[in-house]
Coordinates of all heavy atoms in Angstrom, one line a residue:
M27 N 42.5 -200.8 -213.6 CA 42.4 -202.0 -212.8 C 43.2 -202.1 -211.6 O 43.2 -203.1 -210.9 CB 42.8 -203.2 -213.8 CG 41.8 -203.4 -214.9 SD 40.3 -204.3 -214.3 CE 40.7 -205.9 -214.8
A28 N 43.8 -201.0 -211.3 CA 44.7 -201.0 -210.1 C 43.9 -200.9 -208.8 O 44.4 -201.3 -207.8 CB 45.7 -199.9 -210.2
Y29 N 42.8 -200.4 -208.9 CA 42.0 -200.2 -207.7 C 41.0 -201.3 -207.5 O 40.0 -201.4 -208.2 CB 41.2 -198.8 -207.7 CG 42.1 -197.7 -208.0 CD1 42.2 -197.2 -209.3 CD2 42.9 -197.2 -207.1 CE1 43.1 -196.1 -209.5 CE2 43.8 -196.1 -207.3 CZ 43.9 -195.6 -208.6 OH 44.7 -194.6 -208.8
G30 N 41.2 -202.2 -206.5 CA 40.3 -203.3 -206.4 C 39.2 -203.1 -205.4 O 38.2 -203.7 -205.4
N31 N 39.3 -202.1 -204.5 CA 38.4 -201.8 -203.5 C 37.3 -200.9 -204.0 O 37.4 -199.7 -204.0 CB 39.1 -201.2 -202.3 CG 38.3 -201.4 -201.0 OD1 37.1 -201.8 -201.1 ND2 38.8 -201.1 -199.9
T32 N 36.2 -201.5 -204.3 CA 35.0 -200.8 -204.7 C 33.8 -201.1 -203.9 O 32.7 -201.3 -204.5 CB 34.8 -201.0 -206.2 OG1 34.7 -202.4 -206.5 CG2 35.8 -200.4 -207.1
N33 N 34.0 -201.1 -202.7 CA 32.9 -201.6 -201.8 C 32.0 -200.5 -201.5 O 31.0 -200.6 -200.9 CB 33.6 -202.1 -200.5 CG 33.4 -203.7 -200.5 OD1 33.0 -204.2 -201.5 ND2 34.0 -204.2 -199.5
G34 N 32.4 -199.2 -201.8 CA 31.6 -198.1 -201.4 C 31.7 -197.8 -200.0 O 32.8 -197.7 -199.5
G35 N 30.7 -197.5 -199.3 CA 30.8 -197.1 -197.9 C 31.2 -198.2 -197.0 O 30.5 -199.3 -197.0
N36 N 32.2 -198.0 -196.2 CA 32.6 -199.1 -195.3 C 32.4 -198.5 -193.9 O 33.0 -197.5 -193.6 CB 34.0 -199.6 -195.5 CG 35.1 -198.5 -195.5 OD1 34.7 -197.3 -195.7 ND2 36.3 -198.8 -195.3
R37 N 31.5 -199.1 -193.2 CA 31.3 -198.6 -191.8 C 32.3 -199.3 -190.9 O 32.5 -200.5 -191.0 CB 29.9 -199.0 -191.4 CG 28.8 -198.3 -192.2 CD 27.5 -198.9 -191.9 NE 26.5 -198.1 -192.6 CZ 25.2 -197.9 -192.0 NH1 25.0 -198.4 -190.9 NH2 24.3 -197.3 -192.7
D38 N 32.8 -198.5 -190.0 CA 33.6 -199.2 -189.0 C 32.8 -199.4 -187.7 O 32.2 -198.5 -187.2 CB 34.9 -198.3 -188.7 CG 34.5 -196.8 -188.4 OD1 34.0 -196.2 -189.4 OD2 34.7 -196.4 -187.4
N39 N 32.9 -200.6 -187.3 CA 32.1 -201.0 -186.1 C 32.8 -200.7 -184.8 O 32.3 -201.0 -183.8 CB 31.8 -202.5 -186.2 CG 30.9 -202.8 -187.3 OD1 29.9 -202.1 -187.6 ND2 31.1 -203.9 -188.0
Y40 N 34.0 -200.1 -185.0 CA 34.8 -199.9 -183.8 C 34.3 -198.6 -183.1 O 34.6 -198.4 -182.0 CB 36.2 -199.8 -184.2 CG 36.8 -201.0 -184.6 CD1 37.1 -201.3 -186.0 CD2 37.1 -202.1 -183.7 CE1 37.6 -202.5 -186.4 CE2 37.6 -203.2 -184.1 CZ 37.8 -203.5 -185.5 OH 38.4 -204.7 -185.9
R41 N 33.5 -197.8 -183.8 CA 33.1 -196.6 -183.1 C 32.0 -196.9 -182.2 O 31.3 -197.9 -182.3 CB 32.6 -195.7 -184.2 CG 33.7 -194.9 -184.8 CD 33.1 -193.7 -185.6 NE 34.2 -193.1 -186.3 CZ 33.9 -192.1 -187.2 NH1 32.7 -191.7 -187.4 NH2 34.9 -191.5 -187.9
D42 N 31.9 -196.1 -181.2 CA 30.8 -196.2 -180.3 C 30.9 -197.4 -179.4 O 30.0 -197.9 -178.8 CB 29.4 -196.2 -180.9 CG 29.2 -194.9 -181.5 OD1 29.7 -193.9 -181.1 OD2 28.4 -194.8 -182.5
Q43 N 32.1 -198.0 -179.4 CA 32.3 -199.1 -178.6 C 32.9 -198.7 -177.2 O 34.0 -198.1 -177.2 CB 33.3 -200.1 -179.2 CG 32.9 -201.6 -178.9 CD 33.7 -202.5 -179.7 OE1 34.9 -202.3 -180.0 NE2 33.1 -203.6 -180.2
P44 N 32.1 -198.9 -176.2 CA 32.5 -198.4 -174.9 C 33.8 -199.2 -174.5 O 33.9 -200.5 -174.6 CB 31.4 -198.7 -174.0 CG 30.6 -199.8 -174.7 CD 30.9 -199.6 -176.1
R45 N 34.8 -198.5 -174.0 CA 36.0 -199.1 -173.6 C 35.9 -199.6 -172.1 O 35.4 -198.9 -171.3 CB 37.2 -198.2 -173.8 CG 38.5 -199.0 -173.9 CD 39.4 -198.2 -174.7 NE 40.5 -199.1 -175.1 CZ 41.6 -198.7 -175.6 NH1 41.9 -197.5 -175.7 NH2 42.5 -199.5 -176.0
E46 N 36.4 -200.8 -171.9 CA 36.3 -201.3 -170.5 C 37.5 -200.9 -169.8 O 38.6 -201.0 -170.2 CB 36.1 -202.8 -170.5 CG 35.5 -203.3 -169.4 CD 35.2 -204.8 -169.4 OE1 35.4 -205.4 -170.5 OE2 34.9 -205.3 -168.4
Y47 N 37.3 -200.3 -168.6 CA 38.4 -200.0 -167.8 C 38.4 -200.8 -166.5 O 37.4 -201.2 -166.0 CB 38.3 -198.5 -167.4 CG 38.8 -197.6 -168.5 CD1 38.0 -197.3 -169.6 CD2 40.1 -197.2 -168.5 CE1 38.5 -196.5 -170.6 CE2 40.6 -196.4 -169.6 CZ 39.8 -196.0 -170.6 OH 40.3 -195.3 -171.6
F48 N 39.6 -201.1 -166.0 CA 39.8 -201.9 -164.9 C 40.4 -201.0 -163.7 O 41.4 -200.3 -164.1 CB 40.6 -203.1 -165.1 CG 40.0 -204.0 -166.2 CD1 40.2 -203.8 -167.5 CD2 39.1 -205.0 -165.8 CE1 39.7 -204.6 -168.5 CE2 38.6 -205.9 -166.8 CZ 38.8 -205.6 -168.1
K49 N 39.9 -201.3 -162.6 CA 40.5 -200.5 -161.5 C 41.8 -201.3 -161.1 O 41.9 -202.4 -161.0 CB 39.6 -200.5 -160.3 CG 38.4 -199.6 -160.5 CD 38.2 -198.7 -159.3 CE 37.4 -197.5 -159.8 NZ 36.3 -197.1 -158.9
A50 N 42.8 -200.4 -160.7 CA 44.1 -201.0 -160.4 C 44.8 -200.0 -159.5 O 44.4 -198.9 -159.4 CB 44.9 -201.3 -161.6
I51 N 45.8 -200.5 -158.8 CA 46.6 -199.6 -158.0 C 47.9 -199.4 -158.7 O 48.6 -200.4 -159.1 CB 46.8 -200.3 -156.6 CG1 45.5 -200.6 -156.0 CG2 47.7 -199.3 -155.8 CD1 44.8 -199.4 -155.5
C52 N 48.3 -198.2 -158.8 CA 49.5 -197.8 -159.5 C 50.7 -198.4 -158.7 O 50.8 -198.2 -157.5 CB 49.6 -196.4 -159.7 SG 51.2 -195.9 -160.4
S53 N 51.6 -199.1 -159.3 CA 52.7 -199.7 -158.8 C 53.8 -198.6 -158.3 O 54.7 -198.9 -157.6 CB 53.4 -200.8 -159.6 OG 52.4 -201.7 -159.9
D54 N 53.6 -197.5 -158.9 CA 54.6 -196.5 -158.6 C 54.2 -195.6 -157.4 O 54.8 -195.5 -156.4 CB 54.9 -195.7 -159.9 CG 56.1 -194.8 -159.7 OD1 56.4 -194.3 -158.6 OD2 56.9 -194.7 -160.7
C55 N 53.1 -194.8 -157.6 CA 52.7 -193.9 -156.7 C 51.6 -194.4 -155.7 O 51.3 -193.8 -154.7 CB 52.2 -192.7 -157.4 SG 50.6 -192.9 -158.3
G56 N 51.1 -195.6 -156.1 CA 50.1 -196.2 -155.1 C 48.7 -195.6 -155.2 O 47.9 -196.0 -154.4
K57 N 48.5 -194.8 -156.2 CA 47.2 -194.3 -156.4 C 46.2 -195.2 -157.1 O 46.7 -196.1 -157.8 CB 47.2 -193.0 -157.2 CG 47.3 -191.7 -156.4 CD 47.0 -190.5 -157.2 CE 47.8 -190.4 -158.4 NZ 47.6 -189.1 -159.1
E58 N 45.0 -195.1 -156.8 CA 44.1 -195.9 -157.5 C 43.8 -195.3 -158.9 O 43.7 -194.2 -159.1 CB 42.7 -196.0 -156.8 CG 41.8 -197.1 -157.3 CD 40.5 -197.2 -156.6 OE1 39.6 -196.4 -156.8 OE2 40.4 -198.1 -155.7
C59 N 43.9 -196.2 -159.9 CA 43.7 -195.7 -161.3 C 42.9 -196.7 -162.1 O 42.6 -197.8 -161.6 CB 45.1 -195.5 -161.9 SG 46.1 -197.0 -161.9
E60 N 42.6 -196.3 -163.3 CA 41.9 -197.2 -164.2 C 42.7 -197.4 -165.4 O 43.2 -196.4 -166.0 CB 40.5 -196.5 -164.5 CG 39.6 -196.6 -163.3 CD 38.2 -196.1 -163.7 OE1 38.1 -195.4 -164.8 OE2 37.2 -196.4 -163.0
V61 N 42.8 -198.7 -165.8 CA 43.6 -199.0 -166.9 C 42.7 -199.7 -168.0 O 41.7 -200.4 -167.6 CB 44.8 -199.8 -166.6 CG1 45.8 -199.1 -165.7 CG2 44.2 -201.1 -165.8
P62 N 43.0 -199.4 -169.2 CA 42.2 -200.0 -170.3 C 42.5 -201.4 -170.6 O 42.1 -201.9 -171.6 CB 42.5 -199.1 -171.5 CG 43.8 -198.6 -171.3 CD 44.0 -198.5 -169.8
F63 N 43.1 -202.0 -169.7 CA 43.4 -203.5 -169.9 C 43.3 -204.1 -168.5 O 43.4 -203.6 -167.5 CB 44.8 -203.7 -170.5 CG 45.9 -203.0 -169.6 CD1 46.5 -203.7 -168.6 CD2 46.3 -201.7 -169.9 CE1 47.5 -203.1 -167.8 CE2 47.2 -201.1 -169.2 CZ 47.9 -201.8 -168.2
K64 N 43.2 -205.5 -168.5 CA 43.1 -206.2 -167.3 C 44.4 -206.3 -166.6 O 45.3 -206.8 -167.3 CB 42.5 -207.6 -167.6 CG 41.9 -208.2 -166.3 CD 41.1 -209.4 -166.7 CE 40.4 -209.9 -165.4 NZ 39.8 -211.1 -165.5
P65 N 44.5 -205.8 -165.4 CA 45.7 -205.9 -164.8 C 46.2 -207.4 -164.5 O 45.3 -208.2 -164.1 CB 45.5 -205.2 -163.4 CG 44.2 -204.5 -163.6 CD 43.5 -205.2 -164.6
T66 N 47.4 -207.7 -164.8 CA 47.9 -209.0 -164.6 C 48.6 -209.1 -163.2 O 49.4 -208.2 -162.9 CB 48.8 -209.4 -165.7 OG1 48.3 -208.9 -166.9 CG2 49.1 -210.9 -165.8
Q67 N 48.3 -210.1 -162.6 CA 48.9 -210.3 -161.2 C 50.5 -210.4 -161.4 O 50.9 -211.2 -162.2 CB 48.4 -211.5 -160.5 CG 47.5 -210.9 -159.3 CD 47.2 -212.1 -158.4 OE1 47.3 -213.3 -158.8 NE2 46.9 -211.9 -157.2
G68 N 51.2 -209.7 -160.6 CA 52.6 -209.9 -160.7 C 53.2 -208.9 -161.6 O 54.5 -208.8 -161.7
R69 N 52.4 -208.2 -162.3 CA 52.9 -207.2 -163.3 C 52.6 -205.8 -162.7 O 51.5 -205.6 -162.2 CB 52.3 -207.4 -164.6 CG 52.7 -208.6 -165.4 CD 53.2 -208.2 -166.7 NE 53.6 -209.3 -167.4 CZ 53.4 -209.4 -168.8 NH1 53.0 -208.3 -169.4 NH2 53.9 -210.3 -169.4
P70 N 53.5 -204.9 -162.9 CA 53.3 -203.6 -162.4 C 52.3 -202.9 -163.2 O 52.3 -203.1 -164.5 CB 54.6 -202.9 -162.5 CG 55.4 -203.7 -163.5 CD 54.9 -205.1 -163.4
V71 N 51.4 -202.2 -162.6 CA 50.4 -201.4 -163.3 C 50.7 -199.9 -162.9 O 50.8 -199.6 -161.8 CB 49.0 -201.8 -162.9 CG1 47.9 -200.9 -163.6 CG2 48.8 -203.2 -163.3
Y72 N 50.6 -199.1 -163.9 CA 50.9 -197.7 -163.7 C 49.7 -196.8 -164.0 O 49.0 -197.1 -165.0 CB 52.2 -197.3 -164.5 CG 53.4 -198.0 -164.1 CD1 54.0 -198.8 -165.0 CD2 53.9 -197.9 -162.8 CE1 55.2 -199.5 -164.8 CE2 55.0 -198.6 -162.5 CZ 55.7 -199.4 -163.5 OH 56.8 -200.1 -163.2
C73 N 49.6 -195.8 -163.3 CA 48.5 -194.8 -163.7 C 49.1 -194.0 -164.9 O 50.2 -194.2 -165.3 CB 48.3 -193.8 -162.5 SG 49.7 -192.8 -162.1
R74 N 48.3 -193.2 -165.3 CA 48.6 -192.4 -166.6 C 50.0 -191.7 -166.5 O 50.8 -191.8 -167.3 CB 47.6 -191.4 -166.9 CG 46.6 -192.0 -167.9 CD 45.6 -190.8 -168.2 NE 45.0 -190.9 -169.5 CZ 44.2 -190.0 -170.0 NH1 44.0 -189.0 -169.3 NH2 43.7 -190.2 -171.2
D75 N 50.1 -191.0 -165.4 CA 51.4 -190.2 -165.2 C 52.6 -191.1 -165.1 O 53.6 -190.9 -165.8 CB 51.2 -189.3 -163.9 CG 50.1 -188.3 -164.1 OD1 49.9 -187.9 -165.3 OD2 49.6 -187.8 -163.1
C76 N 52.5 -192.1 -164.3 CA 53.6 -193.0 -164.1 C 53.8 -193.8 -165.3 O 55.0 -194.1 -165.6 CB 53.3 -193.9 -162.9 SG 53.2 -193.0 -161.4
F77 N 52.8 -194.1 -166.0 CA 53.0 -194.9 -167.3 C 53.9 -194.1 -168.2 O 54.7 -194.7 -168.8 CB 51.6 -195.2 -167.9 CG 51.7 -196.1 -169.1 CD1 52.0 -197.4 -168.9 CD2 51.6 -195.5 -170.3 CE1 52.0 -198.3 -170.0 CE2 51.7 -196.4 -171.5 CZ 51.9 -197.7 -171.3
K78 N 53.6 -192.8 -168.2 CA 54.4 -192.0 -169.2 C 55.9 -192.0 -168.7 O 56.8 -192.0 -169.5 CB 53.9 -190.6 -169.1 CG 52.9 -190.3 -170.3 CD 52.6 -188.9 -170.4 CE 51.3 -188.6 -169.7 NZ 51.0 -187.1 -169.6
K79 N 56.0 -192.0 -167.4 CA 57.4 -192.0 -166.8 C 58.1 -193.2 -167.2 O 59.4 -193.2 -167.4 CB 57.3 -191.8 -165.3 CG 57.2 -190.4 -164.8 CD 57.5 -190.3 -163.4 CE 56.5 -191.0 -162.5 NZ 56.8 -190.8 -161.1
H80 N 57.4 -194.3 -167.1 CA 58.1 -195.6 -167.2 C 58.2 -196.0 -168.7 O 58.9 -197.0 -169.0 CB 57.3 -196.7 -166.4 CG 57.6 -196.5 -165.0 ND1 58.5 -197.3 -164.3 CD2 57.0 -195.7 -164.1 CE1 58.4 -196.9 -163.1 NE2 57.6 -196.0 -162.9
Q81 N 57.4 -195.4 -169.6 CA 57.5 -195.8 -170.9 C 58.7 -195.2 -171.6 O 58.9 -194.0 -171.5 CB 56.3 -195.4 -171.7 CG 56.1 -196.1 -172.9 CD 54.8 -196.0 -173.5 OE1 54.2 -195.0 -173.6 NE2 54.2 -197.1 -173.9
P82 N 59.5 -196.1 -172.2 CA 60.7 -195.5 -172.9 C 60.3 -194.6 -174.1 O 59.5 -195.0 -174.9 CB 61.5 -196.7 -173.3 CG 60.5 -197.8 -173.4 CD 59.4 -197.5 -172.3
E83 N 60.9 -193.5 -174.1 CA 60.5 -192.6 -175.2 C 61.3 -193.0 -176.5 O 62.5 -193.2 -176.5 CB 60.8 -191.2 -174.8 CG 59.6 -190.5 -174.3 CD 59.9 -189.0 -173.9 OE1 60.2 -188.2 -174.8 OE2 60.0 -188.8 -172.7
N84 N 60.4 -193.1 -177.5 CA 61.0 -193.5 -178.8 C 61.3 -192.3 -179.6 O 60.6 -192.1 -180.6 CB 60.2 -194.5 -179.5 CG 60.4 -195.9 -178.9 OD1 61.5 -196.3 -178.5 ND2 59.4 -196.8 -179.0
R85 N 62.2 -191.5 -179.2 CA 62.4 -190.4 -180.0 C 63.6 -190.6 -181.0 O 64.5 -191.4 -180.7 CB 62.8 -189.2 -179.1 CG 61.6 -188.7 -178.4 CD 61.8 -187.3 -177.9 NE 60.6 -186.8 -177.3 CZ 60.5 -185.5 -177.1 NH1 61.4 -184.7 -177.2 NH2 59.4 -185.1 -176.5
G86 N 63.5 -190.1 -182.1 CA 64.5 -190.3 -183.1 C 64.3 -191.8 -183.7 O 63.5 -192.6 -183.2
H87 N 65.1 -192.0 -184.7 CA 64.9 -193.3 -185.4 C 66.1 -194.1 -185.3 O 66.2 -195.2 -186.0 CB 64.4 -193.2 -186.8 CG 64.9 -191.9 -187.4 ND1 64.0 -191.0 -188.0 CD2 66.1 -191.3 -187.6 CE1 64.7 -190.0 -188.4 NE2 66.0 -190.1 -188.2
D88 N 67.1 -193.7 -184.6 CA 68.3 -194.5 -184.5 C 68.2 -195.4 -183.3 O 68.3 -195.0 -182.1 CB 69.5 -193.5 -184.4 CG 70.8 -194.3 -184.5 OD1 70.8 -195.3 -185.3 OD2 71.8 -193.9 -183.9
R89 N 68.0 -196.6 -183.5 CA 67.8 -197.5 -182.4 C 69.1 -198.2 -182.0 O 69.2 -198.9 -181.0 CB 66.9 -198.7 -182.8 CG 65.5 -198.0 -183.1 CD 64.5 -199.2 -183.5 NE 64.2 -200.0 -182.4 CZ 63.5 -201.1 -182.3 NH1 63.0 -201.5 -183.5 NH2 63.3 -201.9 -181.3
R90 N 70.1 -198.0 -182.8 CA 71.4 -198.6 -182.5 C 72.1 -197.7 -181.5 O 72.0 -196.4 -181.5 CB 72.2 -198.8 -183.7 CG 71.6 -199.9 -184.6 CD 72.5 -200.2 -185.7 NE 73.0 -199.1 -186.3 CZ 73.8 -199.1 -187.4 NH1 74.0 -200.2 -187.9 NH2 74.3 -198.1 -188.0
F91 N 72.8 -198.3 -180.6 CA 73.6 -197.5 -179.8 C 74.9 -197.0 -180.3 O 75.6 -197.7 -180.8 CB 73.8 -198.4 -178.4 CG 74.3 -197.5 -177.3 CD1 73.4 -196.6 -176.8 CD2 75.6 -197.6 -176.8 CE1 73.8 -195.8 -175.7 CE2 75.9 -196.9 -175.7 CZ 75.1 -196.0 -175.1
Ligands
ZN111 ZN1 51.1 -193.6 -160.5

């Protein structure tokens, strides 16, 4: 009785969903890029490369300094 999920096949509707991309200008290098979210005015938008640069890397699991 531990297994409650007996629905059989579960289809995920998330597949085949085209992702919407928005054109934006990278705040770092100034290149035109496409982002998978709507650029907000006043907020910096980065292209893929710069996004990687600006994203803090979460390496390791020690969050305390
Ligand atoms: Zn850039």
Side-chain angles (χ1 to χ4, degrees):
M27 288 282 263
Y29 305 101
N31 199 351
T32 51
N33 257 0
N36 56 339
R37 297 175 175 211
D38 47 296
N39 294 321
Y40 292 105
R41 277 196 188 170
D42 294 330
Q43 214 169 40
R45 200 149 199 198
E46 205 175 350
Y47 279 85
F48 300 87
K49 287 229 162 135
I51 303 291
C52 177
S53 298
D54 194 320
C55 66
K57 264 198 303 192
E58 193 179 82
C59 57
E60 287 185 341
V61 290
F63 55 87
K64 199 166 185 191
T66 317
Q67 248 194 339
R69 287 236 187 146
V71 176
Y72 300 118
C73 68
R74 261 183 156 186
D75 291 336
C76 297
F77 185 75
K78 264 190 268 175
K79 272 196 294 182
H80 285 263
Q81 197 163 47
E83 262 180 76
N84 278 332
R85 290 200 172 193
H87 29 235
D88 189 31
R89 298 183 67 187
R90 295 187 313 186
F91 193 65

